[in-house]
Amino acid sequence: MKRVLMALSLWGLALAQEVHRVAITHPGGSYNQEVAFLFPWVYFFSFLVFLVVAGALAYVVLKFRAKPGQEGEPPQIHGNDRLEVIWTLIPLAIVFILFGLTAKALIQVNRPIPGAMKVEVTGYQFWWDFHYPELGLRNSNELILPAGVPVELEITSKDVIHSFWVPGLSGKRDAIPGQKTLLRFTPKEPGNYYGFCAELCGASHSRMLFRVLVVPKEEFDRFVEAAKAYTPPVADAQGQQVFQQNCAACHAVQGKMPPAVIGPELGFAGNRTSLAAGIVENTPENLKAWIKDPTALKPGAKMPGFPQLSEGDLDALVRYLEGLKVEGVDFKALPKF
Ligand code: HEC
Ligand SMILES: [Cu+2]
């Protein structure tokens, strides 16, 4: 009884948590619109094949079953040329139709889009870096994109093989060290899309998530303008000092690409909807817990814990980090996909 109650309360807890809507068929962008177009065709032919095969089986079983009073072997049938030609040609036609439709979709999703915005995506154990070379901006773990504008992602890795996957927007692409793979799509529907690392990459592979924030074009432009003119605000002077002493060796707060990268960019930490590569909501409590002991949230994370910092220093640090943001944009209200 106790066990049942415990299982039920765990289940309730899971329900109360945010439900991840990982919709592969959600046509949130051009790539998934192609995929969503293919799905009904594949289902239609699968269902047709099932009906014909199951129907033929049922027919044969009924028609040729042993009847009362029947003795010995029934008459034997050895082949039927016309039938054999038919059941070869029809499946062949189905394969060709599916091949044609798939080839069309593949060509469509891989076609270069003129005027696409470039973003360099780099995978690290266990987080993602997003650099906009044309804009001179950088953000980590949350890729901000304007709705209706085509993008070209140049994906790579700095350590092991990862894989970039946003089910609501596009297919997967491997992130391979020393190699660039391209992924192109046009995000259409504004939203907060869940992203995943889809290649086993170490102890916290399952916690190597991220978000893609698709925002209306005007909001994106406003963000870019403010981000270009960004000087990291100092919401708490003591917090800034603690940061300089303990964190600045690994983290930058300028929103730009530093020459050597160790940890995620924290320039727009206050604008983030999530923390630590999309694993928890961006709240002061979660931020504090992360700084104290990152590996409690993410085993194997390559950031040391800071249990030695006093409560006062930690709170000041959190106020400083949450203050690192550009004003006038709100990403937390975006619907989640
Ligand atoms: C030795 C380098 C190093 C130091 C020092 C360091 N970090 Fe980190 N930090 C990292 C790495 C690496 C990650 C990414 C971990 C992961 O997600 O797997 C990270 C992640 C984070 C994140 C989550 C980032 C995100 O995009 O959500 C925050 C917040 C953070 N660090 C804050 C701090 C603060 C505050 C300090 C100082 C008290 C600090 N870090 C010190 C390397 C470091
Ligand atoms: Cu990974």
Side-chain angles (χ1 to χ4, degrees):
M1 190 60 203
K2 219 167 159 191
R3 282 230 184 113
V4 173
L5 275 180
M6 214 162 84
L8 276 178
S9 56
L10 274 180
W11 183 61
L13 203 73
L15 280 185
Q17 303 251 321
E18 194 177 288
V19 179
H20 286 224
R21 286 172 58 190
V22 184
I24 298 168
T25 51
H26 179 84
S30 59
Y31 195 113
N32 271 17
Q33 277 167 358
E34 293 292 331
V35 176
F37 170 79
L38 277 180
F39 258 111
W41 284 98
V42 173
Y43 274 120
F44 170 73
F45 284 122
S46 312
F47 196 60
L48 196 72
V49 168
F50 172 76
L51 280 187
V52 170
V53 171
L57 184 66
Y59 171 79
V60 169
V61 165
L62 279 177
K63 171 126 205 241
F64 299 105
R65 70 190 193 280
K67 309 210 171 60
Q70 191 178 316
E71 296 278 323
E73 273 195 354
Q76 301 294 298
I77 301 165
H78 294 283
N80 180 323
D81 288 347
R82 200 197 303 166
L83 251 184
E84 280 174 28
V85 168
I86 289 174
W87 76 43
T88 306
L89 285 186
I90 291 180
L92 203 64
I94 293 177
V95 167
F96 272 113
I97 292 170
L98 287 182
F99 173 81
L101 291 171
T102 310
K104 177 194 146 286
L106 269 178
I107 290 167
Q108 198 64 32
V109 298
N110 287 312
R111 181 172 290 174
I113 321 176
M117 185 174 79
K118 248 197 196 79
V119 185
E120 293 167 3
V121 175
T122 311
Y124 293 82
Q125 282 172 318
F126 301 99
W127 58 283
W128 296 91
D129 185 77
F130 304 115
H131 178 226
Y132 303 71
E134 291 147 356
L135 305 174
L137 295 178
R138 177 176 177 241
N139 197 25
S140 294
N141 292 325
E142 293 196 346
L143 173 61
I144 305 165
L145 295 177
V149 177
V151 286
E152 181 172 286
L153 306 182
E154 224 178 73
I155 302 167
T156 188
S157 161
K158 279 284 163 73
D159 39 47
V160 299
I161 300 178
H162 303 277
S163 184
F164 178 96
W165 188 30
V166 192
L169 287 174
S170 78
K172 296 170 194 169
R173 279 293 185 282
D174 275 4
I176 302 167
Q179 200 170 314
K180 282 173 183 160
T181 36
L182 297 179
L183 178 61
R184 306 182 174 104
F185 60 91
T186 307
K188 301 226 162 116
E189 196 182 334
N192 184 334
Y193 292 82
Y194 282 92
F196 301 84
C197 174
E199 180 68 57
L200 184 59
C201 62
S204 274
H205 158 67
S206 67
R207 294 180 181 83
M208 183 170 168
L209 314 179
F210 60 100
R211 306 287 172 96
V212 177
L213 309 177
V214 178
V215 301
K217 175 89 170 62
E218 321 78 74
E219 193 175 0
F220 181 80
D221 290 343
R222 247 188 299 130
F223 175 79
V224 168
E225 203 153 310
K228 276 183 169 169
Y230 185 69
T231 34
V234 182
D236 190 299
Q238 183 193 347
Q240 187 193 27
Q241 206 184 358
V242 178
F243 185 85
Q244 300 289 359
Q245 281 163 3
N246 297 283
C247 325
C250 296
H251 292 285
V253 292
Q254 303 293 329
K256 301 193 170 60
M257 194 73 170
V261 180
I262 300 172
E265 170 66 43
L266 297 178
F268 311 111
N271 292 112
R272 299 277 200 86
T273 66
S274 69
L275 282 178
I279 62 173
V280 289
E281 295 294 295
N282 181 7
T283 63
E285 299 76 47
N286 286 339
L287 185 50
K288 198 167 156 182
W290 171 264
I291 297 167
K292 266 196 208 161
D293 188 4
T295 49
L297 282 158
K298 202 186 244 192
K302 299 198 161 118
M303 165 166 158
F306 290 85
Q308 73 276 19
L309 291 179
S310 71
E311 282 295 301
D313 277 354
L314 272 173
D315 288 333
L317 186 54
V318 167
R319 274 195 298 277
Y320 168 70
L321 290 172
E322 295 288 358
L324 292 170
K325 61 177 171 188
V326 302
E327 298 295 339
V329 290
D330 180 16
F331 301 141
K332 291 187 180 149
L334 290 167
K336 293 189 167 130
F337 295 110

